[in-house]
């Protein structure tokens, strides 16, 4: 619509000025003054092309039309250039918006996953302490150092694809505690592994440990006062590590 308006306006103006007007002398010269692109004071930011027509003559119609065509071509090129720039800018903004939305979605998903795993760890601690208090044993206090080691144990089993109380190098939890400067008189480790992760609810994990003699012994050991529990998901697996210490 904008381009059609330019073309119609220029041609109409030329046609009107090419008519012989009674009472006026016909000049035998014509001149066209084309100004450079200017800023429209009523519409800042948009380029306009000003065309001034002085006098008219039928003898130079072909030259006039040729010059008008040049102006139209220049206007059309400027419009096309502006449209392309606008489209590029719009595409860039859309891409940035989509990337931002993807990053935001991923961040929210990771945050939700972490909250779910933290909730599971809390439920496991509560369950173990309920069992201990019901049997006259002291409650276990969460220990950050033990939690860090438990996380490393679970993550290492996922990363390297094994499930054992000993690492592929043959290190046990007792070796790992010493390496991390944890002094102890009594220590133990409970492990749980399942595929897919949804099979590892707190209730299932606790029941599995209670059905195993060595794992049950750690839950009921009266010498323990501290614990570190971490749940890690990865590779369609869930690995849980609980480290007990006096």
């Amino acid at each position: 619509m904008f381009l059609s308006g330019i073309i119609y306006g220029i041609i109409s103006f030329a046609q009107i000025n090419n008519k012989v007007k009674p009472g006026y002398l016909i000049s035998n010269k014509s001149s066209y003054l084309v100004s450079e692109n200017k800023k429209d004071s009523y519409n800042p930011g948009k380029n306009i092309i000003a065309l001034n027509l002085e006098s008219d003559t039928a003898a130079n119609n072909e030259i006039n039309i040729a010059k008008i065509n040049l102006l139209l071509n220049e206007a059309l090129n400027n419009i096309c250039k502006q449209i392309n720039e606008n489209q590029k800018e719009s595409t860039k903004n859309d891409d940035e918006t989509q990337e931002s939305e993807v990053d935001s979605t991923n961040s929210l998903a990771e945050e939700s996953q972490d909250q779910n795993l933290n909730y599971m760890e809390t439920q496991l601690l509560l369950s173990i302490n309920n069992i201990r208090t019901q049997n006259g044993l002291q409650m276990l206090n969460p220990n950050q150092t033990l939690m860090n080691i438990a996380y490393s144990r679970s993550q290492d089993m996922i990363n390297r694809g094994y499930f054992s109380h000993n690492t592929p190098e043959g290190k046990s939890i007792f070796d790992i505690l010493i390496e991390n400067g944890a002094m102890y008189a009594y220590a133990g480790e409970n492990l749980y592994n399942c595929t897919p992760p949804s099979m590892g609810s707190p209730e299932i994990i606790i029941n599995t440990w209670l059905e195993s003699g060595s794992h049950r012994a750690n839950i009921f050991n009266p010498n323990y006062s501290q614990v570190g529990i971490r749940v890690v998901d990865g590779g369609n697996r869930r690995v849980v590590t609980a480290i007990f210490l006096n």
Side-chain angles (χ1 to χ4, degrees):
M1 291 293 292
F2 177 71
L3 181 57
S4 298
I6 292 176
I7 296 173
Y8 178 79
I10 293 174
I11 293 176
S12 297
F13 192 85
Q15 289 176 345
I16 292 171
N17 281 274
N18 282 334
K19 293 180 180 180
V20 177
K21 301 177 183 178
Y24 286 85
L25 293 176
I26 299 176
S27 172
N28 61 354
K29 293 182 180 180
S30 296
S31 63
Y32 291 81
L33 299 179
V34 181
S35 68
E36 296 180 353
N37 288 353
K38 302 178 180 177
K39 294 293 182 178
D40 187 347
S41 60
Y42 295 99
N43 199 355
K46 292 186 178 180
N47 291 329
I48 61 173
I49 297 177
L51 172 65
N52 297 323
L53 299 181
E54 294 183 357
S55 185
D56 45 49
T57 177
N60 293 324
N61 278 345
E62 292 183 359
I63 297 176
N64 296 344
I65 292 174
K67 291 183 178 181
I68 290 174
N69 286 337
L70 289 176
L71 290 174
L72 292 177
N73 287 335
E74 181 181 352
L76 180 60
N77 288 335
N78 288 337
I79 293 171
C80 291
K81 182 179 179 181
Q82 186 63 45
I83 291 174
N84 288 335
E85 291 177 354
N86 291 341
Q87 288 177 339
K88 289 179 181 178
E89 184 66 23
S90 177
T91 300
K92 179 182 178 181
N93 292 337
D94 289 343
D95 291 341
E96 291 177 351
T97 300
Q98 290 175 357
E99 290 177 1
S100 177
E101 290 176 351
V102 169
D103 292 341
S104 177
T105 300
N106 291 339
S107 177
L108 290 174
E110 291 175 359
E111 182 179 351
S112 176
Q113 176 70 1
D114 290 342
Q115 291 176 349
N116 181 53
L117 296 181
N118 290 338
Y119 172 78
M120 286 191 59
E121 293 162 0
T122 301
Q123 290 299 110
L124 289 171
L125 176 60
L126 291 174
S127 296
I128 291 173
N129 278 334
N130 284 338
I131 292 172
R132 288 177 66 86
T133 55
Q134 289 172 7
N135 288 273
L137 301 171
Q138 65 175 328
M139 296 178 63
L140 303 178
N141 296 315
N143 180 293
Q144 188 61 53
T145 298
L146 297 181
M147 291 176 65
N148 294 341
I149 296 173
Y151 176 82
S152 296
R153 290 282 291 133
S154 293
Q155 190 65 63
D156 185 54
M157 282 183 267
I158 288 177
N159 291 344
R160 298 203 282 172
Y162 72 95
F163 180 70
S164 172
H165 287 288
N166 296 310
T167 69
E169 296 79 20
K171 294 181 181 180
S172 68
I173 185 59
F174 309 109
D175 301 317
I176 296 172
L177 286 171
I178 293 173
E179 288 178 354
N180 285 271
M183 304 304 295
Y184 63 90
Y186 301 93
E189 178 184 69
N190 280 9
L191 300 178
Y192 177 85
N193 173 78
C194 70
T195 299
S198 58
M199 296 296 295
S201 66
E203 295 79 9
I204 292 177
I205 295 169
I206 291 295
N207 289 334
T208 301
W209 284 345
L210 291 175
E211 292 172 359
S212 168
S214 60
H215 292 80
R216 180 185 177 88
N218 282 330
I219 293 176
F220 283 90
N221 193 319
N223 297 308
Y224 295 147
S225 62
Q226 304 173 73
V227 68
I229 304 173
R230 290 305 299 268
V231 182
V232 179
D233 288 354
N236 199 34
R237 294 175 62 192
R238 172 166 290 169
V239 176
V240 184
T241 301
I243 301 174
F244 302 87
L245 208 69
N246 59 281

